[in-house]
Amino acid sequence: MKSNQKVLIIGGGLAGIETALQLARPGFEVTVAEKERQLGGRFRHINTVAGMETSPRDYIAEKINHLASNPSVNIMVNTVPVEVRGLIGRFEVALKQDGKEFCQKYGAIVLATGFSNNIVNFPQEGILSLVQMEEMLGKGYDFSGKSISIVLDSETGNSDLLSKLAIKNALLLKKKYRGEVNVFYKNIKVSGDNWEKLYVDTREAGVRFFRIVDQLEVEECNGKMRISFRDSFISGMYLVESDFVVLPDEIESTVFNNALGSLLQLNLKYDLFSGKDTPYLDSGITSRNGIFMVGSCRWPCLTNEIICSAGAAAHEIARQLGDETLLDVSDQPQVDPLKCTVCLTCYRCCPHKAITIEHDDIIDNIYHSAARMDPLACRRCGLCVAECPAKAINMPGNKDEQILARLDALEV
Amino acid sequence: MEKVFEPKVVAFACENSACLAAEHAVSLSRRYPERVEIIKIPCSGRVDVIFVLKALEKADGVMVLACQKDNCKFLSGNVRAAKRVGQARKLLSEIGIKEERVQIIYLAANMGHKFADSVQNYYDFIRELGPNPGKVT
């Protein structure tokens, strides 16, 4: 049985578009479902991408054009998934477009829904968040002659996205708008190609960096924002006045923190976003085969990282859907229907949701039902084999008898 | 002259971490006791209570070598392994065998030194503890 070769991509931002393009190249049929009216996502609103000459708007417009002209890509806007059933190779997804629900079949699903930053409505006008400032710059707001203070005091896992955003815009504000720019930081992380240089350039351009120890305080004073802080190098309290104060955003994954994760029955106990990432999940794979996460919904990403993760996921999808040797059942756990009591223990404990309960008259037990491990969804860990209370599951190569025989033959 | 007690230890090793750590230990020229028998399993979650009990019919101690916490390739394999080790320990203490004869140790594939150290430490610990009274001869 060849699996369904269609792929559903949820989210039409850069991550979704790039994954679609990479998948369409070897001939996969791709559907991009975007919840908004047009594609582009967060990329439409940003001002610059470090190291890129073209404007992000032109860049994403070109990508969208490529996508729209590709005959194997189907773009659906105003569309959200409402229900997902089935396993890799045969997902059934109920999609809702403009209030109408319909069902489609896919072989794999890619989540490319990005991150969400909780927009806090700050009481004063002079306070912005880092992402808000990027969007204001993108809209062409004139910061000429304004003094700006950027504060980096929160930590979103180990992500360096906010540090990079701060550095990039500090340099831009200094060079383009010639204002006075201060950066208050507890920790700055700018790893990656050319970022260290950008940081040095920013310092050389005259942006002032202050390393702060305690919480700093911001208050309004005669139309200006006054920041009082304790410097860690020259001890003592200091005051800095500026027109704008820019605070870091609180960034959250759109998969881990809303219904999408439970809709897809993902194992959310291992929250990648908090920094405890698992190297096994590098190619965008999740707890379930056939469901992938690309771009900032996995981890706050910049443009080049998004493109890399899209490529890695596309490669892994092609491997999981295209390789028929993966359908080999000879090394996967198998159920002896005579012993299976349909207790659902394996169904519940499977970390990859690879087990289904089959009902058929030819199944030779009194329930005419038994558990079944799907060869594509199963990752051959053997958890269910050890867990089965009826000992109805066995795994070729790692059978109970084989391991017990080995223990029997132990030389003392 | 009295014979020195050399215990027998069975180590169930996850093929994604501990088995690779054992190879790494060898490549670092680290030695570990010869009387530690490594049994390769696809995931520490594959370890059943019966394996531990069966192993203790002949051996003096059992180690379950699992992946680091939150870093299991199969997400919850090491969590289930820890539960089963707990269950085995309970059964052992009920029949009067020291529960320390079963131990779970968390390793990553690149921890050759830690592998050698923890295997040696456990081996020495079992030697101190003496022969397993529950052995079936």
Side-chain angles (χ1 to χ4, degrees), chain A residues 248-262:
Chain A
D249 299 73
E250 272 183 33
I251 288 181
E252 285 184 328
S253 166
T254 47
V255 177
F256 287 109
N257 298 301
N258 73 14
L260 211 52
S262 49

Side-chain angles (χ1 to χ4, degrees), chain B:
Chain B
M1 203 174 85
E2 204 183 321
K3 207 179 143 206
V4 184
F5 168 60
E6 288 293 341
K8 179 84 188 174
V9 171
V10 172
F12 292 101
C14 166
E15 69 176 10
N16 301 297
S17 58
C19 279
L20 301 171
E23 284 173 22
H24 190 222
V26 171
S27 75
L28 293 166
S29 312
R30 290 293 306 264
R31 299 174 68 85
Y32 56 91
E34 271 173 27
R35 285 175 63 76
V36 174
E37 177 113 359
I38 294 181
I39 295 183
K40 185 170 159 180
I41 41 169
C43 170
S44 55
R46 176 70 186 86
V47 174
D48 206 335
V49 178
I50 187 76
F51 297 170
V52 175
L53 300 181
K54 189 83 181 171
L56 284 173
E57 287 184 0
K58 290 197 161 186
D60 301 288
V62 173
M63 302 170 86
V64 176
L65 304 175
C67 292
Q68 300 270 60
K69 283 180 183 163
D70 288 345
N71 235 336
C72 173
K73 183 177 181 181
F74 306 113
L75 301 147
S76 52
N78 50 3
V79 180
R80 300 308 300 162
K83 288 250 179 201
R84 297 207 193 103
V85 166
Q87 204 186 349
R89 284 182 150 203
K90 213 175 123 204
L91 291 172
L92 289 177
S93 53
E94 269 175 33
I95 57 167
I97 292 176
K98 283 230 162 65
E99 58 174 27
E100 289 87 353
R101 292 198 185 273
V102 193
Q103 188 100 353
I104 183 162
I105 286 165
Y106 300 99
L107 288 169
N110 59 357
M111 290 183 169
H113 285 298
K114 193 184 169 191
F115 173 86
D117 290 345
S118 46
V119 168
Q120 185 69 53
N121 285 346
Y122 187 66
Y123 189 80
D124 293 344
F125 170 76
I126 293 292
R127 185 157 48 193
E128 290 284 303
L129 210 60
N132 169 18
K135 270 194 237 179
V136 180
T137 43

Side-chain angles (χ1 to χ4, degrees), chain A residues 86-87 264-266 287-288 347-348 350-356 377:
Chain A
L87 301 168
L264 291 155
Q265 296 183 50
L266 294 178
S287 66
R288 296 183 68 193
Y347 176 84
R348 290 197 192 100
C350 179
H352 313 115
K353 297 269 170 252
I355 298 175
T356 51

Side-chain angles (χ1 to χ4, degrees), chain A residues 3 27 48 54 57 73 108 198 213 223 227 240 254 269 288 306 316 371:
Chain A
S3 32
T48 53
T54 47
R57 240 163 263 114
V73 177
L198 204 68
V213 217
I227 299 173
V240 168
T254 47
K269 219 170 103 193
R288 296 183 68 193
I306 291 174
E316 181 63 21

